[in-house]
Amino acid sequence: MPPLLTLLADRFRHTAKWLLLGGLVGVFSGSASALFLVLLAQATAAFAAAPPLIFALPAAGFAVGWLYWRYGGAASQGNNLVIEEVHAQKQRVPFRMAPFVLIGTVLTHLFGGSAGREGTAIQMGASLADTVRRILDLAPADRRFMLMAGISGGFASVFGTPVAGFVFGMEVQAVGRVRYEGALPCLIAALVGDLTTRAWGVGHSHYPKLAAWDIEPLLLVKVALGGIAFGLAALLFVSLIHAIKHHLQERIAWSPLRPVIGGLILIAMTLLVGTTDYNGLGLPLIQSSVAGQGVFPLAFLLKIVFTAVTLGSGFLGGEVTPLFCIGAALGSTVGAALGVDPGLMASVGFVAVFAGASNTPLACALMGIELFGGGAALYLLVGCVVAYLISGERGIYAAQRLDTPKWTPLNPR
């Protein structure tokens, strides 16, 4: 066969292979996300209807902690196992990770913990992807792409943002590097995952679309200043979670007791502030912020503390939706202080704090465009990039590797 035809045949086989495999991962990820979103909505509604459920939070934390301690194995490493396996491929991502994290996250929300949903979706997507790989007996070289596809499929389907999910699966493994070699499986898994969740009739949160904003130098400067605040908030969030985890691991050897302590602290904090606004996902606070309605100026700080205690003490759930809440609330406050439309700055903060905490500025900027429209694309990008640069090189994913430092010396030698 002539070399050109051989090349074309090889490209065709490669494309067909990943259309099929990426599609399979997307179907499983999207279906898992659909089930998760339905259960999460029911748990959130149940807690809103009966806030005294929070008094059972320590018991729920103990139950989930014991389940992971007794049967979790490698699954207890969570997102870090998924990211580490993209790099090193030392151990399997067990199937039980999917049901365990689903149950644990739903219980966290049912009893008033402050957590998100992306971590759950990523773990379910990667666990199911690795299970498909084992069943089909795929070559070890394919495993990295299957895991990346699982990350993209889970992220895209749980938020309804296929473009951001596509890029997130390639961007999240390392600071300063986008793994474009996984573009095809990540793209297919993200698209199919999102379509699958929608096909199940499960919807997503909707936010006000931003009007078209002209390029104004002064506004760009103000958004950049906001980006500094968003980056510092991300740094505080990451540092506090790591500090709480380290503190509890040093002082409490038996892991099931850590969420008991965290649950008791969350009960005390909820009673102290006199509201459940900072429990759960924080969606009402997000909606008020991006709608420009104004929020309590220190709401972002309270959400940081509630979420850090929840996740740092071992409860299950993701960081992203609380980061959306933190960024939106802080953006509303910063916007009012700088004389910028609070809705605009809250929308920028929504994605920028996440960009700083996850070290994924490109995926976050694209998510902002998907959620809020393209009218303020430049401002969303500026906020995400500045927050990314300010937030330091440690993020919410400890297994994320440093490929390229964010800052280089002015006079490198």
Side-chain angles (χ1 to χ4, degrees):
M1 183 181 293
L4 178 59
L5 291 179
T6 301
L7 178 63
L8 291 174
D10 180 65
R11 294 293 182 268
F12 176 80
R13 286 192 296 269
H14 177 84
T15 301
K17 171 183 174 180
W18 287 110
L19 282 173
L20 176 60
L21 293 176
L24 279 174
V25 172
V27 168
F28 285 119
S29 298
S31 297
S33 288
L35 173 63
F36 171 54
L37 289 171
V38 169
L39 294 176
L40 184 61
Q42 293 174 348
T44 300
F47 177 73
L53 283 170
I54 196 170
F55 292 106
L57 185 61
F62 177 80
V64 174
W66 183 87
L67 179 68
Y68 268 82
W69 171 77
R70 182 67 178 84
Y71 300 106
S76 61
Q77 299 174 48
N79 288 331
N80 288 315
L81 173 64
V82 176
I83 294 174
E84 182 60 31
E85 288 308 294
V86 172
H87 294 299
Q89 303 193 53
K90 294 179 180 179
Q91 57 184 321
R92 61 192 286 176
V93 179
F95 173 77
R96 64 180 173 272
M97 174 181 276
F100 275 28
V101 73
L102 173 65
I103 294 168
T105 303
V106 170
L107 289 177
T108 296
H109 286 274
L110 176 62
F111 295 105
S114 175
R117 50 196 173 185
E118 118 290 340
T120 305
I122 288 173
Q123 290 176 52
M124 290 192 301
S127 171
L128 294 170
D130 211 28
T131 300
V132 169
R133 178 197 64 82
R134 291 193 296 270
I135 292 173
L136 297 179
D137 195 26
L138 299 178
D142 294 329
R143 186 172 185 240
R144 176 178 291 109
F145 300 134
M146 290 292 284
L147 291 174
M148 291 172 66
I151 293 172
S152 286
F155 190 96
S157 58
V158 82
F159 292 118
T161 54
V163 177
F166 158 56
V167 176
F168 186 81
M170 300 186 295
E171 190 179 20
V172 72
Q173 291 91 24
V175 179
R177 179 184 178 187
V178 181
R179 303 186 70 112
Y180 288 109
E181 66 270 27
L184 183 57
C186 286
L187 176 62
I188 300 304
L191 291 174
V192 174
D194 179 54
L195 290 172
T196 300
T197 300
R198 296 177 190 273
W200 282 108
V202 178
H204 300 89
S205 301
H206 296 283
Y207 304 99
K209 299 296 182 183
L210 293 171
W213 287 81
D214 294 331
I215 299 176
E216 301 177 17
L218 180 57
L219 182 56
L220 281 171
V221 170
K222 290 181 177 180
V223 169
L225 290 173
I228 294 174
F230 301 141
L232 292 175
L235 179 61
L236 174 61
F237 179 85
V238 171
S239 299
L240 188 56
I241 282 186
H242 287 310
I244 291 172
K245 284 183 179 178
H246 178 72
H247 181 82
L248 289 177
Q249 286 171 0
E250 276 198 335
R251 287 161 176 76
I252 302 176
W254 197 39
S255 59
L257 286 181
R258 297 170 197 156
V260 175
I261 301 302
L264 292 172
I265 294 172
L266 286 165
I267 292 172
M269 291 195 302
T270 302
L271 293 174
L272 183 63
V273 300
T275 178
T276 58
D277 287 351
Y278 308 104
N279 304 85
L281 294 168
L283 294 179
L285 188 56
I286 293 174
Q287 294 285 0
S288 297
S289 300
V290 299
Q293 296 174 2
V295 297
F296 174 55
L298 295 180
F300 76 95
L301 187 58
L302 288 170
K303 189 62 176 175
I304 287 176
V305 175
F306 270 74
T307 308
V309 170
T310 299
L311 299 178
S313 63
F315 283 94
L316 274 293
E319 298 91 348
V320 173
T321 306
L323 286 168
F324 292 162
C325 182
I326 293 162
L330 177 57
S332 178
T333 299
V334 170
L338 294 178
V340 177
D341 179 87
L344 170 63
M345 195 67 91
S347 300
V348 173
F350 180 105
V351 288
V353 173
F354 174 35
S358 64
N359 295 311
T360 57
L362 181 56
C364 292
L366 290 171
M367 171 177 260
I369 294 170
E370 286 186 283
L371 294 176
F372 302 113
L378 179 60
Y379 298 101
L380 292 166
L381 183 61
V382 168
C384 287
V385 171
V386 172
Y388 165 77
L389 293 173
I390 293 296
S391 63
E393 287 160 350
R394 184 172 65 166
I396 54 178
Y397 307 120
Q400 196 176 49
R401 298 187 178 183
L402 177 61
D403 185 88
T404 305
K406 295 182 181 181
W407 299 94
T408 56
L410 292 177
N411 297 302
R413 297 182 182 276

